[in-house]
Amino acid sequence: MRQRNYLTPTLRDTPADAEIKSHQLMLRAGLIRQTASGIYSYLPLGKKVLRKVEEVIRSEMDAAGGQEVLMPAVQPAELWEESGRLGNYGPELMRLKDRHERDFVLGATHEEVITTLVRDDVKSYKKLPMNLYQIQTKYRDERRPRFGVLRSREFIMKDAYSFDTSKEGLDKSYQDMYDAYQKIFTRFDLDFRAVEADSGAIGGTDTHEFMVLSEIGEDTIAYSDQSNFAANIEIAPVRVEYTKSDEEALELELVETPNTKTIIELTSFLGVKASETIKSLLYIVNDEPVLVLVRGDHEVNEIKVSNVLGKAIVELATPEQTAKILGCETGFVGPINIPSSVTVIADQAVEFVTNGVCGANEKDKHYKNVNPNRDFAVSQYADLRLIQEGDPSPDGKGTIQFAMGIEVGHVFKLGTKYSEALGATFLDENGKTQTMVMGCYGIGVSRSVAAIVEQHHDENGIIWPTSVAPFDLHLVTINVKDEDQSKLGEELYETLKKERFDVLFDDRPERAGVKFKDSDLLGLPIRVAVGKKASDGIVEVKVRKTGEMIEVHVTELVETVKNLLSK
Ligand code: ATP
Ligand code: MG
C-alpha cells in the first residue's frame, strides 16, 4: 500500500482527552477517530488490525469446532421479554421502535437470538454438541464510556454459544473454549491470566475471565504468590481463621465523637485500631433496608452481599433514606437499637470483635465496648468482605497479592437458564424431551486491539506483535526526490509484494525526520529504509521491537526480512 494517498492521519501531539496510552496511540497513529461519545470509526490501519485480530480468533474457534454464523444487531424486544431479561438489563440496553411502533433492542449480547435459532432447527441429540459463534457489533449504553475502544458503547465482540446434551458435555465444551482462549491471547502476545469470576446478571455458575495485566485495568485480580490461584476480587472467597481475644467484655458506653464520619477520623479521635471498629452500611434490597456490617479495616463486597441475599440487586441507601430509616447521618450508622424492619447481616470477622466501636445512629456519637450478639443481633454471619492483599490465599497456599487487569474474554457455563426460558429442547436416545445445556464465550475484539497497544508500545509509538501488525513491514524511501533512492524504493516495493509481504510503502515527499517519526508511531515490526547508500544497493533494516539496525544488500533483503518476521 502506498502511503502517499493512504488515510493515516498521524498526530504529533497527544490528544488532550485521551487518558491512557493505548487510546492516545490509537488516535495518534490514525487507527481510530471518535464519531460520538463511545462510538468510533476505524480508519484503514485500524481496520487492518481488527481483521488480523479477527483472523486469529476465527482460526482458533474453527480449530475448536466452532461454526461461524452472523446474527442481527437489531433484535425484537419480545425475545428479551421471553428470556426475562428486558426489565433487569437496565439502561445499558439500547432500545428503539420501528415505524410500526414495535419495540426492538440493539444486541448487547445474543443468548436470546441464538437460543431461539437452535430451538427451532435442532431437535435431536444426534446434532449435539454444537458450538456457534459470530464476530459482530454489540451495543451497550455504558454509563461511563472511556479509554477509547477499551470501553465503548458500540464495539466488536466474538461471541460463541455451546449446546450440549448434559452437564458433562458442557464441561468439555467449556474446557475447549478455555483452551482456545489461552491460544488466542498467547498469539496476541498478551501477558494475561484466566481468573475465576462472578457470573453476574447473565446467570450461570462456573465462569472465568481472561485478564490482560495492566495498571490501567478496571478489575482487580487477587492471586496467590505461591500457587495458581487467581480470581477477580469480586468473588475471591476470604478464608481467614479469626480468633476471639480473651479480653473481658466491658460495659457498653455512648461517647461523643464530634466530626468523625470516616473510620480514619474515628480511629485517630478515639485512639483505637480500625480492626477494633465495626463499619455499618445501609443498603436497600428489594425495597427493604439491610444493614451490612464489616470490620473497620475491611471493605464490603456488594457481590457477596447480593449472593447471600439470593442474587438480589443491592443499592447503597441515599442520605435521605438513611435519615428516614435510622434517623441519622451516614457516618454515624450502627446496629444497636435499630428498628426491627432492618435486617442485619455481618461479615464473619465482625463476630470476633471484642469491645469494639460502632456508630450510635446519632450525630457525633459512637458506642464503645460493643460486643456483637450481646449488644445487637445479627441474622446471618457470612463472607461479605473483599479479599485484601496479605490475606491467606483461599486455596491454603501462599498469600494474596493484587494486580489490575483488563477483561478481554469471558467464558460462562450458562446451564439451562436460557434453554429453559426459551424452550430449547431435544429428544434424547430414548425419545425423551430434554433441555439443552448451554455455555457462552465472549472476546472483546476491539478491546483486545486496545489491550495489545497498552502492552506493546514505547515512548515513540506502537510496537505491533507480528501476529496482528497491520502490515508486515514499512518500506521507507527517505528522499523521494533522489533518483537512486526513488528507483530502488519502487523496485523493492514490487519485489517484496511479489514475495507476498504486506508492505506499507512510504513514498511521500516528506522530510526524513517526519517519516521516521511516523514509522515508529505506526509500529510495524520491520522498517526498511532506502537512503544514501541506495546507489550501492544497500538499505537499512530496523527491528521496531529491539531497535536493532542492520545494513543489508538488496540481494539479501527478502531472506533477512523472512528471518526477522518468523522470529
Ligand atoms: P465489563 O465488565 O468490562 O463491562 P462485561 O462483563 O460486561 O465486561 P461480557 O458481557 O462478558 O463483558 O462481554 C464479553 C467481552 O466483551 C468482555 O470480556 C469484553 O472484552 C468485551 N466488552 C464488554 N463490554 C465492552 C465495552 N463496553 N467496550 C468494549 N468491549 C467490551
Ligand atoms: Mg459490562
Side-chain angles (χ1 to χ4, degrees), residues 92 140 142 151:
E92 240 182 53
R140 292 184 186 178
E142 298 277 352
R151 179 169 300 285

Side-chain angles (χ1 to χ4, degrees), residues 121-128 165 425-428 436:
D121 282 299
V122 179
K123 309 278 187 200
S124 157
Y125 74 96
K126 288 182 198 145
K127 277 278 176 201
L128 299 173
T165 58
T425 59
F426 65 96
L427 293 178
D428 69 10
M436 293 183 196

Side-chain angles (χ1 to χ4, degrees), residues 77-213:
E78 294 108 69
L79 270 185
W80 285 66
E81 219 154 75
E82 231 183 292
S83 71
R85 272 209 287 193
L86 192 64
N88 57 25
Y89 210 91
E92 240 182 53
L93 190 63
M94 293 206 185
R95 297 154 204 251
L96 67 150
K97 283 187 190 298
D98 71 3
R99 64 166 74 202
H100 307 293
E101 291 289 304
R102 279 191 290 252
D103 292 313
F104 286 84
V105 304
L106 291 181
T109 171
H110 279 71
E111 281 80 11
E112 282 77 4
V113 178
I114 195 87
T115 309
T116 43
L117 272 177
V118 171
R119 170 190 72 192
D120 295 343
D121 282 299
V122 179
K123 309 278 187 200
S124 157
Y125 74 96
K126 288 182 198 145
K127 277 278 176 201
L128 299 173
M130 191 176 272
N131 179 316
L132 300 167
Y133 77 94
Q134 66 173 345
I135 293 178
Q136 203 237 21
T137 305
K138 295 275 189 280
Y139 298 86
R140 292 184 186 178
D141 200 355
E142 298 277 352
R143 189 202 305 258
R144 263 189 86 201
R146 61 184 193 145
F147 296 165
V149 297
L150 208 60
R151 179 169 300 285
S152 48
R153 299 196 295 165
E154 177 179 301
F155 60 97
I156 301 168
M157 196 201 283
K158 185 286 300 177
D159 45 326
Y161 305 87
S162 66
F163 297 85
D164 274 277
T165 58
S166 66
K167 268 189 77 220
E168 295 67 40
L170 170 60
D171 290 345
K172 160 108 178 49
S173 297
Y174 184 87
Q175 189 61 43
D176 288 348
M177 283 295 101
Y178 185 98
D179 295 343
Y181 278 31
Q182 295 275 0
K183 290 184 191 146
I184 290 166
F185 296 120
T186 303
R187 283 176 69 179
F188 292 161
D189 217 352
L190 286 169
D191 183 12
F192 69 96
R193 298 278 180 286
V195 308
E196 292 171 29
D198 175 54
S199 54
I202 201 161
T205 47
D206 220 344
T207 158
H208 287 86
E209 286 165 348
F210 287 77
M211 294 282 191
V212 169
L213 302 183

Side-chain angles (χ1 to χ4, degrees), residues 255-459:
V255 289
E256 295 277 342
T257 53
N259 305 318
T260 56
K261 283 181 140 189
T262 64
I263 293 288
I264 293 179
E265 287 163 348
L266 180 67
T267 51
S268 64
F269 182 82
L270 289 177
V272 296
K273 284 190 265 174
S275 58
E276 294 165 341
T277 68
I278 297 170
K279 193 156 54 180
S280 313
L281 287 125
L282 186 65
Y283 284 89
I284 306 295
V285 182
N286 300 334
D287 290 333
E288 301 290 333
V290 176
L291 196 62
V292 179
L293 313 181
V294 291
R295 239 169 47 183
D297 57 331
H298 294 153
E299 297 298 330
V300 172
N301 179 331
E302 294 186 358
I303 290 183
K304 289 181 180 174
V305 172
S306 163
N307 287 341
V308 160
L309 299 171
K311 295 240 169 212
I313 295 173
V314 298
E315 268 178 294
L316 210 52
T318 60
E320 294 73 36
Q321 286 169 320
T322 308
K324 197 162 159 227
I325 298 162
L326 295 173
C328 75
E329 284 180 32
T330 327
F332 302 95
V333 169
I336 298 177
N337 295 331
I338 52 169
S340 59
S341 59
V342 181
T343 307
V344 181
I345 58 174
D347 179 65
Q348 50 204 2
V350 171
E351 197 167 12
F352 295 86
V353 173
T354 307
N355 299 325
V357 173
C358 73
N361 295 321
E362 233 182 290
K363 188 172 161 47
D364 293 340
K365 289 199 175 127
H366 278 82
Y367 280 113
K368 267 172 72 173
N369 302 331
V370 177
N371 289 285
N373 303 332
R374 180 193 76 177
D375 299 324
F376 59 88
V378 171
S379 67
Q380 191 181 356
Y381 287 100
D383 171 15
L384 298 179
R385 73 161 169 100
L386 287 171
I387 201 164
Q388 292 180 341
E389 276 188 295
D391 276 335
S393 177
D395 66 356
K397 291 177 214 141
T399 303
I400 287 301
Q401 316 255 291
F402 282 179
M404 302 307 287
I406 302 168
E407 181 196 319
V408 286
H410 207 164
V411 290
F412 283 107
K413 285 185 187 171
L414 287 171
T416 54
K417 183 179 160 90
Y418 295 95
S419 41
E420 218 155 73
L422 297 160
T425 59
F426 65 96
L427 293 178
D428 69 10
E429 291 94 327
N430 307 315
K432 223 179 108 210
T433 301
Q434 297 221 35
T435 306
M436 293 183 196
V437 187
M438 292 174 58
C440 75
Y441 317 92
I443 291 182
V445 176
S446 34
R447 184 179 284 182
S448 289
V449 174
I452 291 168
V453 176
E454 202 56 45
Q455 277 195 349
H456 295 274
H457 68 265
D458 63 12
E459 65 282 5

